[in-house]
Amino acid sequence: MTLTAPALPAPADTAKRPVRGPRSRTGTSAWTPWLYLLPALAVLGALLVYPVYQLGLISFLEYTQAQVSGGEPTSFQGLGNYTALFADPQFRQVLLATVVFAAACVAGTLAVGCALAVLLTRVRALPRLALMLAALGAWATPAVTGSTVWVFLFDADFGPVNKLLGLGDFSWTYGRYSAFALVLLEVVWCSFPFVMVTVYAGIRAVPTEVLEAAALDGASQWRIWRSVTAPLLRPILAVVTIQSVIWDFKVFTQIYVMTGGGGIAGQNLVLNVYAYQQAFASSRYSLGAAIGVVMLLILLAVTLVYLRLLRRQGEEL
């Protein structure tokens, strides 16, 4: 005969213990952060999701002034607006110009902002305060005001820049590349303070022992920045880069004000100004909405690719 041990009853507290959701290392529920974010997500959903939905919906319709006024019924076009858009050689030219112009603006903004952030760590308190106030003044200036001031500074007849450089009556806004260069300078001027302040705060958070150890090893200032400071600031640089890409890719005010709506014969058009012309100047609202959707998809793709590259390098954002 084989004797088997009787089964032990489960403890009372274990049998009656309720099943709980996953918990984090701190002991709180995994859903707790989402509860705190819920109000903000609700506001963002109301302000962003619904307009994006309407933008996408209009891009699939035939929606012109005739449909707005009720003279003709709205008809579904499918991908017709997108087909017409990519078949337009002007759109492809404007898209290429926008990508190149935005890339140049982002590179210039990051270079100036990072250089001045490093400079802030090298100067005394009074020059640092003066530079911070000047930069924040440029940042706080409205885009229309800043663009108007820059147009006056580089005016062919009364601008002080031409007199200082001895350029006579040279018109910066007449040529395509000179007009883009002028707008680029204004965009960098009003955008670098965000990069400067953010990177400066990140540099201040870097342990001084690490920088001192690199200096004792004989590393130059450029080598310390490239091999020590920049890798530690990579998450911060990722944030300012993505922000700069979004801002510079959808530049509108500076181009519209400084080039008179896109330059001579549309030579300085970017996607945002081109969408405005198609939607409101030509009353082709569905085509303007299609341009907006294309811009949204491009920005999402750039952001996701950049974040994916950072993840591959082991960075946590």
Side-chain angles (χ1 to χ4, degrees), residues 160-237:
V161 175
N162 279 11
K163 295 180 181 180
L164 183 62
L165 299 178
L167 297 178
D169 58 350
F170 175 76
S171 177
W172 290 82
T173 58
Y174 182 79
R176 183 188 186 194
Y177 298 107
S178 60
F180 269 129
L182 181 60
V183 178
L184 184 146
L185 291 176
E186 201 280 336
V187 171
V188 172
W189 172 77
C190 67
S191 301
F192 83 86
F194 170 74
V195 178
M196 183 190 73
V197 173
T198 307
V199 175
Y200 173 71
I203 293 176
R204 282 301 186 186
V206 175
T208 57
E209 296 82 2
V210 178
L211 302 179
E212 292 174 355
L216 291 175
D217 289 339
S220 62
Q221 294 297 327
W222 166 247
R223 183 63 183 272
I224 292 175
W225 165 261
R226 184 172 61 89
S227 302
V228 179
T229 308
L232 293 175
L233 295 178
R234 191 170 294 154
I236 294 178
L237 294 175

Side-chain angles (χ1 to χ4, degrees), residues 71-245:
E72 295 181 7
T74 302
S75 59
F76 181 74
Q77 297 294 316
L79 298 177
N81 291 319
Y82 295 95
T83 302
L85 192 64
F86 284 97
D88 184 7
Q90 186 181 15
F91 169 76
R92 297 195 296 268
Q93 180 182 357
V94 171
L95 176 61
L96 177 60
T98 304
V99 172
V100 175
F101 175 74
C105 289
V106 171
T109 302
L110 293 178
V112 174
C114 292
L116 291 179
V118 175
L119 178 63
L120 287 176
T121 63
R122 300 287 188 267
V123 298
R124 297 182 181 273
L126 188 59
R128 184 188 308 122
L129 179 61
L131 180 56
M132 292 283 285
L133 291 177
L136 293 178
W139 193 14
T141 302
V144 175
T145 305
S147 301
T148 304
V149 171
W150 274 75
V151 168
F152 169 75
L153 291 175
F154 288 84
D155 185 76
D157 299 321
F158 307 103
V161 175
N162 279 11
K163 295 180 181 180
L164 183 62
L165 299 178
L167 297 178
D169 58 350
F170 175 76
S171 177
W172 290 82
T173 58
Y174 182 79
R176 183 188 186 194
Y177 298 107
S178 60
F180 269 129
L182 181 60
V183 178
L184 184 146
L185 291 176
E186 201 280 336
V187 171
V188 172
W189 172 77
C190 67
S191 301
F192 83 86
F194 170 74
V195 178
M196 183 190 73
V197 173
T198 307
V199 175
Y200 173 71
I203 293 176
R204 282 301 186 186
V206 175
T208 57
E209 296 82 2
V210 178
L211 302 179
E212 292 174 355
L216 291 175
D217 289 339
S220 62
Q221 294 297 327
W222 166 247
R223 183 63 183 272
I224 292 175
W225 165 261
R226 184 172 61 89
S227 302
V228 179
T229 308
L232 293 175
L233 295 178
R234 191 170 294 154
I236 294 178
L237 294 175
V239 173
V240 297
T241 300
I242 293 173
Q243 289 280 6
S244 299
V245 169

